Amino acid sequence: MSMDTDEGKTVMCLLTDPEGTHLGSAMYIPQNAGPLQLTQLVNRFLDNEEMLPYSFYVSDEELLVPVGTYLEKNKVSVEKVLTIVYQQQAVFRIRPVNRCSQTIAGHAEAVLCVSFSPDGKQLASGSGDTTVRLWDLYTETPLFTCKGHKNWVLTVAWSPDGKHLVSGSKSGEICCWNPKKGELEGSPLTGHKKWITGISWEPVHLSSPCRRFVTSSKDGDARIWDITLKKSIICLSGHTLAVTCVKWGGDGIIYTGSQDCTIKMWETTQGKLIRELKGHGHWINSLALSTEYVLRTGAFDHTGRQYPPNEEKQKALERYNQIKGDSPERLVSGSDDFTMFLWEPSVSKQPKKRLTGHQQLVNHVYFSPDGKWIASASFDKSVRLWNGVTGQFVTTFRGHVGPVYQVSWSADSRLLLSGSKDSTLKIWEIRTKKLKQDLPGHADEVFAVDWSPDGEKVVSGGKDRVLKLWKG
């Protein structure tokens, strides 16, 4: 198939999706065809009922000009077949955040973790003052101060149906809160002997309403808890050193990363070890799943629609399958050995790719909501961007003048947020690969950042004890 053109100059192109599947066979395309014409072509080929937005990439670089212009600029021969990768973009756009709308005091010590609820309507923070606080996002004021922990609150996690909030502390106990009332649900759960390093909930498409969550601890164990029974039902032991991170995957497998340099995979009915992923030469600091955003948000999407409990599971499953597509769930790990590995754990225990380039330890890794990108934050003061399917390096975002602690994505995968020891937040634009917005304002290190799932707000917290809310 070819398109008619005034100039008659054409180039042979092959369109493929990010996984490498061809869309039809190679075809002649006029050299004056740009992203708009290619978008029309892809929509026609895929028989889409409505025009969906697509972006196009040639060798991992976005095509923003007509094909002919690209060929000339990059001195590419017209004799060869040009492979163009098409990627569907989010049908909605998130406004870039550019101002601090509120600075809220309340915590008496550093803010160590922050998290928006799955519907983006509530916000929780954990602090060195041993409290968890819930904040009213409409009035931007404190709502509840939740007391129950004996030590620093290191991590907080919302259930993907938004009905529960769980927090873990430096002394190893877990507290379950009712976010509507700010009250403790039963007494704190004990079992871990040292501090809690991570919490992850069972996805809502596997079990609704949400009951089970898993915690990882410095004591070398991970534990599965049941919020209804108020107790630890399975202990996942096998790591020889601290478990630093844990993720409950979309196909029901739990992944734990440890200072013993291994990632272990567990099934969740009896807590049996399924597989070990080895390769890192030092502690593993962070794990991320390609489906993490939909696992976190369950049935809630950018429209803010609420579903009755009996429909939540089905809606969450639809969203999960849409993001996952036909390819296996991917896992990325970041380590003290300065490297990352991209895995497809259901397919192989060998890594798909080793991601090298950071000059210091990798502190945090995170897939974009659409699974197309991986961002990594490092103590080398940079944030790096990688292709989420192939693991290919894309670009380095430089601008921070201190270690980067945490990153978070906008819901449309177009913008990336980072928080650093240098007291600033920065927003990076994926399309231009440049700094979009510098957000100074904190008086000290920024430990924790989160972008609300509805895209409206960004929150940051750190050593200066205040929470800052940022808006577009």
Side-chain angles (χ1 to χ4, degrees):
M1 171 182 174
S2 62
M3 295 162 126
D4 296 331
T5 126
D6 307 333
E7 301 169 13
K9 277 186 169 176
T10 58
V11 61
M12 178 77 97
C13 292
L14 180 64
L15 287 162
T16 77
D17 71 4
E19 304 285 333
T21 312
H22 298 175
L23 183 65
S25 51
M27 62 191 109
Y28 282 104
I29 288 177
Q31 290 195 18
N32 61 2
L36 180 65
Q37 291 80 1
L38 289 168
T39 297
Q40 292 166 345
L41 188 66
V42 170
N43 273 290
R44 219 160 61 205
F45 258 106
L46 294 173
D47 289 331
N48 292 335
E49 287 171 18
E50 50 189 308
M51 279 286 280
L52 295 174
Y54 289 91
S55 52
F56 298 90
Y57 297 84
V58 182
S59 348
D60 269 338
E61 189 185 329
E62 188 168 358
L63 181 71
L64 300 166
V65 293
V67 180
T69 317
Y70 173 86
L71 295 173
E72 272 174 46
K73 186 177 155 216
N74 292 279
K75 302 191 169 48
V76 179
S77 160
V78 285
E79 304 292 316
K80 290 198 181 118
V81 177
L82 186 69
T83 304
I84 302 177
V85 178
Y86 66 91
Q87 278 187 8
Q88 192 182 329
Q89 293 181 295
V91 287
F92 57 97
R93 281 195 99 86
I94 299 295
R95 268 202 312 253
V97 171
N98 55 19
R99 63 191 172 87
C100 180
S101 69
Q102 194 66 281
T103 301
I104 333 176
H107 280 299
E109 290 291 337
V111 179
L112 303 174
C113 48
V114 290
S115 182
F116 283 103
S117 60
D119 60 2
K121 292 188 169 55
Q122 276 185 288
L123 169 64
S125 61
S127 161
D129 66 8
T130 78
T131 68
V132 170
R133 282 181 179 249
L134 288 155
W135 309 85
D136 183 329
L137 289 172
Y138 293 111
T139 58
E140 302 186 334
T141 53
L143 192 58
F144 303 114
T145 302
C146 310
K147 294 181 176 161
H149 282 296
K150 303 197 237 342
N151 210 321
W152 301 353
V153 181
L154 300 176
T155 176
V156 291
W158 292 85
S159 62
D161 60 5
K163 294 188 174 59
H164 308 280
L165 176 72
V166 171
S167 55
S169 88
K170 192 163 185 274
S171 46
E173 81 280 348
I174 315 261
C175 287
C176 308
W177 310 94
N178 174 339
K180 296 276 178 282
K181 299 178 183 166
E183 292 167 0
L184 197 57
E185 296 179 339
S187 46
L189 306 175
T190 54
H192 283 301
K193 298 170 203 61
K194 289 185 179 168
W195 64 83
I196 308 297
T197 55
I199 303 172
S200 185
W201 279 84
E202 182 170 21
V204 77
H205 71 260
L206 296 176
S207 158
S208 176
C210 294
R211 278 182 61 162
R212 298 195 300 169
F213 61 91
V214 61
T215 55
S216 57
S217 166
K218 170 81 170 116
D219 64 13
D221 291 339
R223 285 176 180 269
I224 300 175
W225 308 79
D226 186 311
I227 201 150
T228 320
L229 301 175
K230 302 273 184 295
K231 64 175 193 181
S232 165
I233 46 176
I234 297 173
C235 180
L236 309 173
S237 45
H239 283 295
T240 53
L241 287 169
V243 185
T244 53
C245 41
V246 62
K247 294 289 174 214
W248 198 315
D251 37 20
I253 290 168
I254 288 175
Y255 303 92
T256 52
S258 164
Q259 289 183 351
D260 67 13
C261 308
T262 69
I263 299 161
K264 293 189 192 295
M265 295 164 60
W266 313 82
E267 64 83 45
T268 59
T269 51
Q270 299 164 306
K272 283 200 181 112
L273 179 65
I274 303 173
R275 188 174 265 185
E276 266 188 318
L277 307 177
K278 291 180 176 171
H280 281 297
H282 210 311
W283 297 355
I284 292 163
N285 295 322
S286 178
L287 290 175
L289 289 163
S290 55
T291 52
E292 201 157 323
Y293 178 78
V294 286
L295 298 182
R296 170 190 175 177
T297 51
F300 299 104
D301 59 13
H302 65 280
T303 60
R305 200 182 141 193
Q306 300 274 354
Y307 290 89
N310 57 340
E311 288 177 31
E312 266 191 356
K313 190 171 180 179
Q314 185 54 37
K315 180 64 189 165
L317 184 61
E318 281 170 26
R319 293 188 68 220
Y320 173 71
N321 287 333
Q322 187 188 348
I323 286 294
K324 185 167 172 277
D326 302 328
S327 50
E329 200 169 44
R330 297 183 300 284
L331 178 78
V332 67
S333 53
S335 162
D336 263 29
D337 66 11
F338 307 179
T339 74
M340 298 146 64
F341 277 111
L342 178 63
W343 314 82
E344 284 181 350
S346 60
V347 179
S348 165
K349 60 181 191 180
Q350 301 305 323
K352 189 170 178 180
K353 191 161 176 66
R354 185 165 182 249
L355 287 59
T356 58
H358 278 299
Q359 312 290 307
Q360 281 286 338
L361 69 88
V362 180
N363 198 47
H364 188 219
V365 290
Y366 213 0
F367 272 94
S368 61
D370 60 10
K372 303 280 193 287
W373 310 101
I374 298 165
S376 56
S378 166
F379 275 33
D380 67 9
K381 307 175 191 168
S382 78
V383 175
R384 282 179 175 248
L385 183 71
W386 317 79
N387 182 310
V389 180
T390 62
Q392 198 64 35
F393 169 71
V394 179
T395 193
T396 305
F397 294 122
R398 296 189 196 281
H400 282 298
V401 293
V404 188
Y405 290 141
Q406 207 175 14
V407 288
S408 188
W409 287 89
S410 66
D412 61 1
S413 305
R414 288 183 176 104
L415 301 165
L416 176 66
L417 162 75
S418 57
S420 161
K421 184 177 179 169
D422 69 11
S423 84
T424 71
L425 284 78
K426 294 194 192 311
I427 290 179
W428 313 90
E429 188 170 34
I430 302 307
R431 188 177 64 81
T432 58
K433 304 187 179 51
K434 286 190 169 60
L435 179 68
K436 179 85 177 168
Q437 200 72 45
D438 194 16
L439 302 172
H442 276 286
D444 212 326
E445 309 185 21
V446 180
F447 293 141
V449 294
D450 196 19
W451 202 314
S452 71
D454 61 9
E456 295 291 311
K457 293 166 284 287
V458 158
V459 66
S460 58
K463 214 169 178 178
D464 63 3
R465 311 201 288 257
V466 297
L467 274 188
K468 282 186 180 285
L469 284 168
W470 312 79
K471 286 188 175 164

